[in-house]
C-alpha cells in the first residue's frame, strides 16, 4: 500500500483529481463525510487529508510515502525529502510587499513581517540588507498598515489582498507551485511503485499545460 498525504482544501481536490485521472482513483474519498483516511486496496493506495503545511512532516518522517506540498513550505522548512515533480498547480509567488508610497531608503534596519522567516532572512542576506524579522501567523497584510513593520514577505496569488489593503509588490523573491515529494527510504524500497505514479502523474501535468 502506498500512503499519500494530500493537502486539505481546494488545492488538494485538484491534486486528487490529478491522481484519479492518472489511474489511482479512490471513489470513497468523494463521499461527503468527515473521514480523513481513504483507501483503494485494488490500486494499493491510501490517501489522507492533512493540513497543507503539515504534508512535508508526514512525508519526511515516513508516515506518508509521498505527498504534495507547496514550494513555499519546502523552501521555508527544508524537509529531508525528495522533490519529484512540479505539478504546475497552486501557482503563486513569494514577494516583498509594502504600502504603495513606501520607499526603502536603505538607511535603518528594515522591519519585515512574515510567516516565512527563513525565506525572508535568506532573501535579505542575499542582497545584504539588514532586517528585523517579525514572525506572524496570518493576516500579514495588516502589519505595515499599523506600522508594525515596513514591509511584508508573503504569498501573492491574484494580488487582490494587497490591492484591497493599498499595498503593492515591491519585488518577487521566488515563484511557487505544488510539488510531489517522496520520503527518502520509501523511494528506495517502494521505488518502482513511486516511479510508476510519477510517470502517470507527469502525463496529467503535461495535459494541463
Ligand atoms: C494568502 C496570503 C495572502 C493571500 C494572497 O493568505 O498570505 O494573504 O493568500 O492571495 P491573493 O493574492 O489572491 O489575494 P491565506 O488565505 O493563506 O491566509 P493567511 O492570512 O492565513 O496567510
Amino acid at each position: 500500500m502506498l500512503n499519500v498525504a494530500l493537502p486539505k482544501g481546494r488545492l488538494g481536490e485538484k491534486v486528487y483529481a490529478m491522481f484519479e485521472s492518472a489511474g489511482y482513483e479512490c471513489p470513497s474519498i468523494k463521499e461527503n463525510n468527515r473521514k480523513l483516511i481513504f483507501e483503494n486496496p485494488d490500486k494499493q493506495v491510501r490517501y489522507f487529508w492533512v493540513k497543507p503545511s503539515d504534508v512535508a512532516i508526514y512525508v519526511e518522517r515516513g508516515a506518508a510515502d509521498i505527498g504534495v506540498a507547496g514550494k513555499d513550505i519546502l523552501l521555508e522548512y527544508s524537509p529531508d525529502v525528495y522533490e519529484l515533480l512540479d505539478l504546475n498547480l497552486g501557482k503563486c509567488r513569494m514577494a516583498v510587499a509594502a504600502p504603495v508610497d513606501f520607499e526603502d531608503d536603505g538607511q535603518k534596519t528594515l522591519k519585515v513581517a512574515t510567516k516565512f522567516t527563513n525565506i525572508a532572512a535568506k532573501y535579505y542576506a542575499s542582497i545584504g540588507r539588514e532586517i528585523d524579522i517579525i514572525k506572524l501567523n496570518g493576516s500579514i497584510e495588516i502589519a505595515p498598515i499599523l506600522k508594525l513593520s515596513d514591509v511584508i514577505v508573503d504569498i501573492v496569488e491574484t494580488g487582490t489582498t494587497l490591492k484591497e489593503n493599498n499595498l503593492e509588490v515591491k519585488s518577487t523573491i521566488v515563484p511557487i507551485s505544488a510539488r510531489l515529494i517522496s520520503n527518502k527510504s520509501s523511494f528506495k524500497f517502494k521505488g518502482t511503485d513511486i516511479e510508476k505514479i510519477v510517470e502517470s502523474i507527469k502525463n496529467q501535468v503535461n495535459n494541463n499545460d
Side-chain angles (χ1 to χ4, degrees):
M1 196 66 108
L2 205 65
N3 291 300
V4 185
L6 294 174
K8 228 180 343 190
R10 214 156 38 97
L11 171 67
E13 279 159 26
K14 285 190 195 162
V15 169
Y16 170 71
M18 218 175 213
F19 276 80
E20 187 178 54
S21 319
Y24 295 88
E25 73 277 7
C26 182
S28 60
I29 209 167
K30 294 204 165 151
E31 287 162 18
N32 192 15
N33 58 32
R34 304 282 292 168
K35 261 178 73 173
L36 296 170
I37 304 179
F38 303 88
E39 57 184 56
N40 183 350
D42 291 344
K43 297 281 173 178
Q44 285 292 292
V45 70
R46 180 189 292 128
Y47 293 102
F48 39 93
W49 295 117
V50 304
K51 204 175 162 178
S53 50
D54 289 341
V55 168
I57 300 171
Y58 281 85
V59 174
E60 181 177 39
R61 291 182 171 262
D65 298 303
I66 58 173
V68 173
K71 184 70 181 174
D72 51 334
I73 300 296
L74 302 179
L75 289 171
E76 179 63 20
Y77 299 105
S78 306
D80 192 17
V81 297
Y82 292 131
E83 190 182 312
L84 302 177
L85 193 61
D86 184 345
L87 297 184
N88 213 14
L89 288 177
K91 285 166 88 169
C92 51
R93 56 185 163 146
M94 186 66 65
V96 177
V100 173
D101 58 9
F102 174 79
E103 269 177 52
D104 183 7
D105 59 15
Q107 296 301 303
K108 49 183 192 337
T109 303
L110 188 70
K111 287 189 284 177
V112 182
T114 187
K115 244 197 272 195
F116 302 94
T117 55
N118 293 324
I119 293 175
K122 201 167 161 197
Y123 169 70
Y124 282 105
S126 78
I127 59 169
R129 182 74 172 94
E130 198 182 314
I131 60 164
D132 174 15
I133 290 197
I134 300 156
K135 159 93 169 129
L136 295 177
N137 298 298
S139 301
I140 320 291
E141 291 84 359
I142 294 175
I145 298 170
L146 298 180
K147 308 270 183 260
L148 176 65
S149 72
D150 300 309
V151 303
I152 63 172
V153 166
D154 201 12
I155 284 169
V156 179
E157 192 183 350
T158 61
T160 311
T161 314
L162 292 183
K163 206 165 167 206
E164 293 193 354
N165 290 289
N166 205 27
L167 306 174
E168 67 181 13
V169 168
K170 299 292 182 183
S171 46
T172 293
I173 300 178
V174 65
I176 303 291
S177 56
R179 308 296 162 101
L180 182 65
I181 57 174
S182 168
N183 171 269
K184 287 191 168 174
S185 61
S186 298
F187 195 75
K188 201 162 158 192
F189 296 110
K190 300 184 182 177
T192 320
D193 292 339
I194 294 176
E195 299 266 28
K196 228 167 94 187
I197 268 203
V198 171
E199 281 313 308
S200 318
I201 300 272
K202 219 182 247 173
N203 292 329
Q204 297 307 312
V205 176
N206 297 338
N207 288 346
N208 272 356
D209 276 342

